């Protein structure tokens, strides 16, 4: 029985065409700036995001953390949503690497309001840390793949800017937001100082992320990448996969979104599962079980449906390049079998 893997959109394997592009990539030593494929990717992604320059890095975590290091000094404060990736899934890097203090804001599905941000920004006071950076996430992972409506994003960014804060966007799934709305990725990114994107999520590349921003910020980011051990040599082999993904795997994200909606609609009919198809905006789907999630996750795994628990009764399912329409039907039939027998 072939397992159907909804744990994450990071589990995709490079396609044969992507592997060919990797094998044929022209390469050089990227730490010397001599890898033509990396240079091409960095130009291409800067262009796509409407920002001046970009830097290819090994992971989304490194892209985000380089941004934190570029914008903040020890004791500075970064304002972000409580469930954001930089808080939940980056190993405490804000504290460990930069001595930065986060101020986390609660939210509905990952999106904070302009009022919340305004209230969070510190006044100049010897007792307080300096509010330095606002960090946002689009789409919002823990929120359930939520897309930031552009106007609301603009309003939140404006509050931060007025107070002199820099703005970072964790756009690990920014192209999902683009495909879901028709707004180009640059619509959000060009309002920020730095934006990170992942090639290894729904875009299906094996490795790699990018951080984009002004030429000056990216120059400093290059220094921090080296400091963190992220200076890669003939990285064009990896950049070729990312270029291939940008060319061939962006528009198809719409399929993942349709699959997630169909999966939600199917699951909503199954006894013991609560799913809300109307809340599925992109490729991520949050569900609630009447039974403990840990129990359901292992039961479903034994039937070849893999997903991750996110709370005592909740779980996350993610659709991606390696889940087909037929897999959705098959997964639904396995879930019915698990819960209705
Ligand atoms: C996956 C992800 C990242 C980066 O993760 P890496 O595994 O380090 O590439 C960053 N932000 C969000 C929202 C993510 O989902």
């Amino acid at each position: 029985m072939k397992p159907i893997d909804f744990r994450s959109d990071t589990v995709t394997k490079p396609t044969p065409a992507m592997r060919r592009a990797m094998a044929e990539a022209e390469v050089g030593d990227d730490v010397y700036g001599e890898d033509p494929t990396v240079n091409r990717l960095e130009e291409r992604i800067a262009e796509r995001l409407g920002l001046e320059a970009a830097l290819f890095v090994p992971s989304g975590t490194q892209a985000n953390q380089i941004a934190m290091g570029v914008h903040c000094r020890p004791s500075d404060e970064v304002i972000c949503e409580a469930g954001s990736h930089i808080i939940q899934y980056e190993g405490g890097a804000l504290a460990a690497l930069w001595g930065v203090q986060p101020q986390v804001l609660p939210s509905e599905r990952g999106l904070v309001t302009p009022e919340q941000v305004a209230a969070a920004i510190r006044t100049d006071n010897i007792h307080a840390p300096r509010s330095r950076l606002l960090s946002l996430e689009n789409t919002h992972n823990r929120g359930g793949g939520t897309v930031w409506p552009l106007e609301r994003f603009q309003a939140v960014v404006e509050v931060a800017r007025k107070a002199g804060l820099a703005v970072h966007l964790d756009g690990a799934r920014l192209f999902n937001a683009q495909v879901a709305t028709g707004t180009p990725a640059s619509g959000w990114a060009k309002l920020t100082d730095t934006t990170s994107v992942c090639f290894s999520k729904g875009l299906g590349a094996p490795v790699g992320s990018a951080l984009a921003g002004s030429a000056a910020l990216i120059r400093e980011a290059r220094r921090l990448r080296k400091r963190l051990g992220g200076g890669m040599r003939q990285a064009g082999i990896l950049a070729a996969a990312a270029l291939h993904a940008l060319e061939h795997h962006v528009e198809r994200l719409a399929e993942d979104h349709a699959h997630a909606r169909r999966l939600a609609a199917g699951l909503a009919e199954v006894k013991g599962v609560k799913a809300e198809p109307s809340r599925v905006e992109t490729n991520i789907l949050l569900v609630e079980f009447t039974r403990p999630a840990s129990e359901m996750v292992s039961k479903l795994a034994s039937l070849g449906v893999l997903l991750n628990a996110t709370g005592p009764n909740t779980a996350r399912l993610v659709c991606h390049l390696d889940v087909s329409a037929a897999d959705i039907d098959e997964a639904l039939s396995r879930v019915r079998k698990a819960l209705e027998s």
Side-chain angles (χ1 to χ4, degrees):
M1 179 181 55
K2 181 190 128 192
I4 303 167
D5 198 342
F6 295 108
R7 289 173 304 163
S8 176
D9 44 8
T10 55
V11 302
T12 57
K13 309 244 171 81
T15 61
M18 182 181 275
R19 282 176 183 267
R20 273 197 300 281
M22 295 172 75
E24 289 162 12
E26 213 188 319
V27 298
D29 189 330
D30 180 53
V31 175
Y32 289 115
E34 292 173 3
D35 189 301
T37 310
V38 171
N39 292 342
R40 193 144 44 89
L41 173 65
E42 291 178 345
E43 279 166 28
R44 193 76 47 90
I45 199 72
E47 225 171 75
R48 285 259 196 155
L49 297 180
L51 292 163
E52 215 177 356
L55 181 70
F56 185 50
V57 296
S59 71
T61 297
Q62 190 171 105
N64 284 337
Q65 290 305 321
I66 288 173
M68 300 299 126
V70 162
H71 294 300
C72 302
R73 293 296 162 264
S75 84
D76 282 351
E77 183 175 69
V78 48
I79 296 171
C80 59
E81 195 275 333
S84 54
H85 196 276
I86 60 165
I87 296 298
Q88 300 289 339
Y89 303 114
E90 300 189 3
L94 277 178
L97 300 177
W98 317 114
V100 164
Q101 170 170 310
Q103 184 183 349
V104 302
L105 309 179
S107 78
E108 250 323 286
R109 313 198 76 221
L111 310 190
V112 296
T113 65
E115 294 73 26
Q116 274 181 296
V117 174
I121 295 172
R122 313 276 182 168
T123 50
D124 184 11
N125 179 317
I126 58 163
H127 299 86
R130 279 191 196 91
S131 299
R132 180 69 197 109
L133 176 70
L134 172 68
S135 184
L136 303 168
E137 193 173 306
N138 191 22
T139 66
H140 199 286
N141 172 26
R142 289 255 297 205
T146 329
V147 178
W148 268 93
L150 187 58
E151 271 177 35
R152 180 154 164 198
F153 187 84
Q154 221 156 2
V156 166
V157 166
E158 197 171 311
V159 169
R161 289 233 184 274
K162 272 202 182 132
L165 273 69
V167 178
H168 172 68
L169 172 60
D170 176 349
R173 298 188 181 83
L174 190 56
F175 290 107
N176 291 87
Q178 168 176 311
V179 168
T181 57
T183 300
S186 61
W188 294 277
K190 71 185 180 198
L191 302 175
T192 70
D193 296 284
T194 50
T195 290
S196 63
V197 292
C198 274
F199 304 114
S200 57
K201 295 271 161 80
L203 295 186
V207 177
S209 283
L211 180 69
S214 68
L217 285 176
I218 294 306
R219 197 177 139 71
E220 182 59 15
R222 202 171 285 279
R223 182 193 305 276
L224 295 189
R225 182 184 70 173
K226 191 72 183 72
R227 181 180 296 166
L228 294 174
M232 299 181 286
R233 302 297 175 171
Q234 285 72 35
I237 289 191
L238 300 174
L243 278 167
H244 180 88
L246 276 181
E247 214 158 291
H248 301 283
H249 294 171
V250 173
E251 295 314 317
R252 68 148 305 284
L253 291 171
E255 289 172 37
D256 300 340
H257 301 174
H259 290 163
R261 280 193 301 272
R262 211 148 63 76
L263 186 60
L267 290 173
E269 304 291 311
V270 181
K271 209 170 134 232
V273 193
K274 203 172 131 202
E276 292 181 63
S278 64
R279 293 198 128 190
V280 176
E281 296 181 41
T282 53
N283 65 329
I284 298 177
L285 155 65
L286 301 178
V287 297
E288 202 178 314
F289 295 110
T290 48
R291 308 278 314 155
S294 56
E295 183 190 311
M296 294 313 304
V297 165
S298 35
K299 187 166 185 185
L300 290 169
S302 71
L303 290 169
V305 177
L306 309 182
L307 55 151
N308 281 337
T310 51
N313 289 86
T314 54
R316 183 188 79 157
L317 293 93
V318 188
C319 293
H320 52 76
L321 188 59
D322 292 352
V323 171
S324 67
D327 288 338
I328 298 291
D329 295 333
E330 175 60 24
L332 283 169
S333 115
R334 292 178 191 176
V335 173
R336 275 184 219 111
K337 198 158 125 199
L339 279 118
E340 289 174 351
S341 57

